[in-house]
Amino acid sequence: MTPQRWIAHFLLLLTLAMPAWADPVLPRYLAKTPAADLVPGAEGYGPIREDVPVAPILKDGEVAAWAFITSDFVSTTGYSGKPIDVLVAVAPDATVSAVRLVKHSEPIVLIGIPESEMRTLIEAYAGLDLVAEAESGGTAHELDIISGATVTVMVIDDSIVRSGLRVARALGLGGLAPPPPDTGPAFELDLDAPAAPDWMTLEGDGTLRRLSLDVGQINAAFATMGDPRAAERALTLPPETTFIEMQTALVSHPAIAASLLGEATARNVADWLEPGDHAIAVFGRGLYSFKGSGYVRGGIFDRIVLIQDEISVRFRDRMHKRIVSVEAEGAPVFVEADLFKIPADSGFDPAEPFRIQLLVQREVGPIEKVFTTFDLGYQLPAGYLRAVTPPAAPAPSNAVNDLLAQDEAAAQQALWKRIWADKTVEIAVTGGLLGLLTLVFFFQGMATRNARAFFWFRMTFLSVVLVYLGWYANAQLSVVNLMALFGALTTDFSWQAFLLDPLTFILWFAVAAALLFWGRGAYCGWLCPFGALQELTNKIARACRIPQWELPWGLHERLWPVKYMIFLGLFGVSLASLEQAEHLAEVEPFKTAIILNFQRAWPFVAYALALLAAGLFVERFFCRYLCPLGAALAIPARLRMFDWLKRYRECGNPCQSCANECPVQAIHPTGEINPNECVNCLHCQVLYQSETTCPVVIKKLKRRQSVGSVTPRDLTGHPNVKTPQPAE
């Protein structure tokens, strides 16, 4: 056991033995939730324990379950930056009796997902076996995800499982108990230890471990499952036929990697691993593949999982490399050989035993399968380890609490890192869009030179933003984000809550940078999915010859302040009640049209469709007059460092071409571009270079032609030398 794991076990034991919760929130919710709502027939609650913030639920004079709030044990800070309080009841056998969502400030739940749907999902955790979760590392259950609420669901799931295990261990429920501190020596990898050069010796000394299953064993395993369909579909091959032979070794030890894979591959493995990472090599042959094909479709190797105590590691395609050749002398011929990375933040200890769990499936219907599992156990031989001195002095009480806070912070960090890792593709696409848009803005003269090409580029870009960023990735910013950020800044600010949604985090940073360079238009005109939906539908309306209405300048100018008043009203309400402000922020149709794809109650859908209908006649109607997010971004727009949009002296006096053709009427009749209203569509820059529309350009061309016929430059570039005229 490494010193880090020794400290973790010691602190866990010490924590559960002392009162470490200064101000539990459990008391405020017990009075609001009848005990019978958690355990049918219960008479009430007993007194809250002094050592652990849990309350007994009493039925017939006996303790039927223990009630607690997840946020008393683990951080359940959600997307809003505020805690998600979930009330959980756990029976003496460590089975979850009931789960209730008692308080939250999640915007997506408040104004996007029906409350009933979220409560139904959370209450389905009743029956969760915490003993099984302890044995499986928290993976014994299937995680249900509600579309559009991925972050919130993952936070709640993580908090229920982790807090439930802490309570069960603290109270000794279901036979669970905190692990005793290891009083023996701790161990770590001895990186100088040698490894045998041949396969047979590596198998014999335990460096390689094997799981062998034949057809007879597989048929017997499915026959004992009690599902006659599985027995009826037994494999018909001879029982001794190899179903799978799977072997594994820890190749983050350099000598093992060099012996199995060769010196060159071992160096590549070392370069592939970050500090603290580890890796295993898995070899397989037989009828069954330990990889399968699921990772090709979903990026996850769903047939194997590494389990060590409560830690479980599922491997994704980015944690995987193929092994080209096996260099150990006498190695068998394998059908598949692969490397899998174990991330440093998983908590994996290479000195402790672990197992590779293999999931074997059998089809019992057209689309139905049954499953069973087998374990390949692994313990690194002692020759590859060296003893280290464990820490002897217990930490003082305050230091223990500080370390516990660090441990909780590490768990939160692991959660957001896992979310970021799961969204690698979405992050890459978003980064590509931001990079492309930056190039367009920096080289806008070149980009807008060809009007037709730029038009189709913009339509394509907006289509990707709408379909991919909006409907697929749900990366729609909202004024709710700004109110949540302000609320966090005025209380206990933490980056953790904002890191839980990678695309929103990236987009807000991009918006902050863009405000300094270009103003609000970088987001409103290019990256807002609802803005893209408005513009694309308006272009379709124009193609269908739907008449376009242009409001008189006086009325148009007086409608601009409406969105600012809406934003200031929402902001003022948020100072008193963020929840109420989030409800009122339904003035934004983003959740209905983008996040939930119009799958909502009819009033919300009718409102969103009405705004889109108005946009068919007045382009970007909502952006112009009602959008509180646009107003919030417009307020600092005048702080931008550069003025990138080119203008002529003649713009506005006498020429009105750009003002008349501006899609959002952001150009004053006098020629100035209002940065608060401009969406940086660059249409004025297309006109700026147009040889058929811009009077200034047309005039210059005519002058150039006229000058060329009278006093053209000669080949040497001298302007005053006349070209000889041909003799008549």
Side-chain angles (χ1 to χ4, degrees):
M1 178 179 289
T2 62
Q4 290 85 355
R5 286 178 71 88
W6 192 95
I7 292 174
H9 286 173
F10 174 78
L11 290 177
L12 179 60
L13 178 65
L14 188 59
T15 302
L16 298 176
M18 62 180 292
W21 296 272
D23 189 19
V25 300
L26 177 64
R28 74 181 70 162
Y29 295 117
L30 292 185
K32 301 177 181 178
T33 308
D37 188 37
L38 300 176
V39 176
E43 298 96 20
Y45 300 100
I48 298 175
R49 290 177 54 141
E50 295 183 359
D51 55 345
V52 185
V54 298
I57 301 176
L58 305 177
K59 180 179 180 180
D60 299 329
E62 303 289 337
V63 176
W66 294 89
F68 63 92
I69 295 292
T70 55
S71 52
D72 279 336
F73 293 86
V74 299
S75 173
T76 54
T77 302
Y79 179 69
S80 66
K82 295 183 178 294
I84 303 173
D85 292 329
V86 180
L87 179 61
V88 182
V90 179
D93 63 353
T95 300
V96 173
S97 301
V99 183
R100 299 289 184 268
L101 177 63
V102 291
K103 182 176 174 57
H104 70 88
S105 300
E106 296 299 273
I108 190 62
V109 180
L110 286 167
I111 57 180
I113 303 297
E115 188 85 12
S116 58
E117 186 174 353
M118 181 61 71
R119 291 188 182 279
T120 299
L121 181 142
I122 292 174
E123 290 170 7
Y125 278 85
L128 182 71
D129 186 350
L130 293 173
V131 175
E133 296 301 322
E135 294 173 350
S136 67
T139 61
H141 68 293
E142 293 187 4
L143 176 60
D144 292 331
I145 297 292
I146 296 177
S147 176
T150 304
V151 171
T152 300
V153 172
M154 291 185 71
V155 168
I156 293 174
D157 174 83
D158 178 73
S159 66
I160 291 174
V161 174
R162 289 200 293 126
S163 63
L165 288 173
R166 288 193 176 186
V167 169
R169 287 196 173 94
L171 303 180
L173 305 179
L176 296 176
D182 193 337
T183 57
F187 293 93
E188 64 181 8
L189 290 183
D190 181 0
L191 301 181
D192 298 323
D198 64 285
W199 191 274
M200 184 173 293
T201 305
L202 291 171
E203 278 193 302
D205 65 16
T207 303
L208 280 160
R209 300 294 174 102
R210 178 205 307 250
L211 171 67
S212 295
L213 298 169
D214 58 35
V215 168
Q217 291 172 298
I218 295 299
N219 284 340
F222 279 110
T224 59
M225 294 183 64
D227 190 333
R229 299 174 300 171
E232 291 170 0
R233 295 185 176 235
L235 298 174
T236 58
L237 296 169
E240 65 276 8
T241 303
T242 300
F243 180 77
I244 187 172
E245 179 184 317
M246 189 170 72
Q247 294 187 252
T248 192
L250 186 78
V251 292
S252 43
H253 190 287
I256 298 176
S259 179
L260 285 173
L261 310 176
E263 294 288 348
T265 304
R267 287 194 296 271
N268 291 337
V269 172
D271 293 339
W272 181 44
L273 301 178
E274 300 292 334
D277 289 350
H278 290 279
I280 57 171
V282 183
F283 310 91
R285 59 181 176 177
L287 301 175
Y288 192 72
S289 167
F290 65 79
K291 292 190 298 184
S293 59
Y295 75 98
V296 177
R297 299 186 303 272
I300 298 178
F301 293 85
D302 56 0
R303 293 188 178 183
I304 57 172
V305 58
L306 182 146
I307 300 172
Q308 184 182 68
D309 298 330
E310 296 177 12
I311 300 167
S312 65
V313 180
R314 285 206 175 274
F315 302 108
R316 303 188 65 90
D317 49 6
R318 64 179 174 278
M319 305 157 67
H320 162 258
K321 284 185 178 294
R322 295 181 185 274
I323 295 175
V324 178
S325 63
V326 181
E327 300 295 329
E329 180 183 344
V333 177
F334 291 99
V335 176
E336 48 192 6
D338 300 85
L339 294 171
F340 295 97
K341 181 191 294 186
I342 307 168
D345 59 8
S346 65
F348 175 77
D349 184 352
E352 291 294 301
F354 64 90
R355 55 195 168 101
I356 305 296
Q357 187 175 86
L358 174 70
L359 182 70
V360 179
Q361 62 187 31
R362 174 171 290 179
E363 294 183 357
V364 294
I367 58 173
E368 190 174 358
K369 299 176 182 178
V370 293
F371 303 90
T372 188
T373 59
F374 300 88
D375 289 341
L376 166 55
Y378 191 90
Q379 169 71 68
L380 193 66
Y384 298 104
L385 303 173
R386 63 183 177 191
V388 294
T389 305
S397 175
N398 290 337
V400 169
N401 289 334
D402 291 342
L403 288 172
L404 287 171
Q406 295 173 13
D407 180 64
E408 181 58 33
Q412 296 179 45
Q413 188 178 55
L415 178 61
W416 72 255
K417 283 184 176 180
R418 176 162 58 109
I419 294 173
W420 278 65
D422 289 341
K423 289 186 174 292
T424 303
V425 175
E426 290 92 333
I427 292 171
V429 172
T430 304
L433 290 173
L434 292 173
L436 180 59
L437 183 59
T438 302
L439 290 175
V440 169
F441 281 170
F442 270 108
F443 302 101
Q444 63 187 31
M446 296 174 55
T448 58
R449 189 167 297 164
N450 186 311
R452 183 176 180 82
F454 181 74
F455 171 81
W456 286 111
F457 166 78
R458 179 166 169 79
M459 293 303 102
T460 302
F461 192 96
L462 293 179
S463 297
V464 173
V465 167
L466 172 62
V467 175
Y468 192 86
L469 278 189
W471 286 334
Y472 175 78
N474 295 153
Q476 171 72 65
L477 301 187
S478 167
V479 71
V480 172
N481 305 138
L482 289 176
M483 294 188 296
L485 174 62
F486 183 81
L489 290 173
T490 56
T491 53
D492 296 325
F493 178 78
S494 171
W495 283 113
Q496 304 283 0
F498 298 95
L499 288 167
L500 291 174
D501 194 335
L503 298 190
T504 300
F505 186 84
I506 292 170
L507 284 175
W508 273 117
F509 258 83
V511 168
L515 286 175
L516 296 177
F517 282 83
W518 300 287
R520 63 172 281 212
Y523 179 76
C524 295
W526 291 85
L527 295 169
C528 175
F530 188 76
L533 177 60
Q534 289 182 95
E535 185 162 336
L536 292 170
T537 52
N538 180 266
K539 290 296 185 287
I540 295 173
R542 290 173 182 264
C544 296
R545 301 185 181 279
I546 294 179
Q548 299 298 300
W549 301 339
E550 184 172 322
L551 300 183
W553 177 259
L555 175 61
H556 169 69
E557 192 176 26
R558 283 160 179 76
L559 288 176
W560 276 345
V562 174
K563 59 180 174 287
Y564 297 96
M565 291 187 286
I566 293 174
F567 167 69
L568 292 175
L570 290 173
F571 183 76
V573 173
S574 72
L575 298 178
S577 171
L578 180 60
E579 293 182 22
Q580 184 62 32
E582 288 167 342
H583 281 291
L584 295 175
E586 194 65 60
V587 68
E588 294 179 329
F590 304 157
K591 282 72 183 178
T592 300
I594 304 300
I595 304 298
L596 301 176
N597 299 325
F598 296 99
Q599 302 297 312
R600 295 191 72 184
W602 73 264
F604 298 105
V605 175
Y607 173 68
L609 291 177
L611 292 175
L612 290 174
L616 299 179
F617 302 93
V618 179
E619 185 169 347
R620 286 183 175 258
F621 174 84
F622 178 77
C623 296
R624 295 196 203 188
Y625 308 123
L626 299 176
C627 182
L629 176 62
L633 298 181
I635 291 174
R638 293 190 180 275
L639 298 178
R640 71 193 192 284
M641 300 168 61
F642 306 101
D643 191 0
W644 299 85
L645 301 179
K646 298 179 181 179
R647 309 294 287 152
Y648 294 115
R649 288 193 303 271
E650 295 86 347
C651 291
N653 185 22
C655 181
Q656 297 288 325
S657 296
C658 291
N660 292 333
E661 292 199 30
C662 177
V664 293
Q665 291 180 264
I667 302 178
H668 288 262
T670 52
E672 301 92 3
I673 297 176
N674 187 340
N676 290 356
E677 305 302 323
C678 177
V679 295
N680 278 81
C681 66
L682 301 184
H683 183 62
C684 61
Q685 301 306 289
V686 173
L687 298 178
Y688 182 87
Q689 305 179 78
S690 175
E691 297 179 357
T692 59
T693 305
C694 180
V696 178
V697 175
I698 295 172
K699 188 175 181 180
K700 286 184 177 180
L701 286 175
K702 289 182 177 180
R703 185 184 305 119
R704 207 171 290 160
Q705 293 170 358
S706 174
V707 171
S709 63
V710 178
T711 58
R713 296 173 181 265
D714 68 359
L715 296 177
T716 63
H718 294 289
N720 297 321
V721 179
K722 295 185 178 180
T723 303
Q725 300 297 317
E728 296 184 359

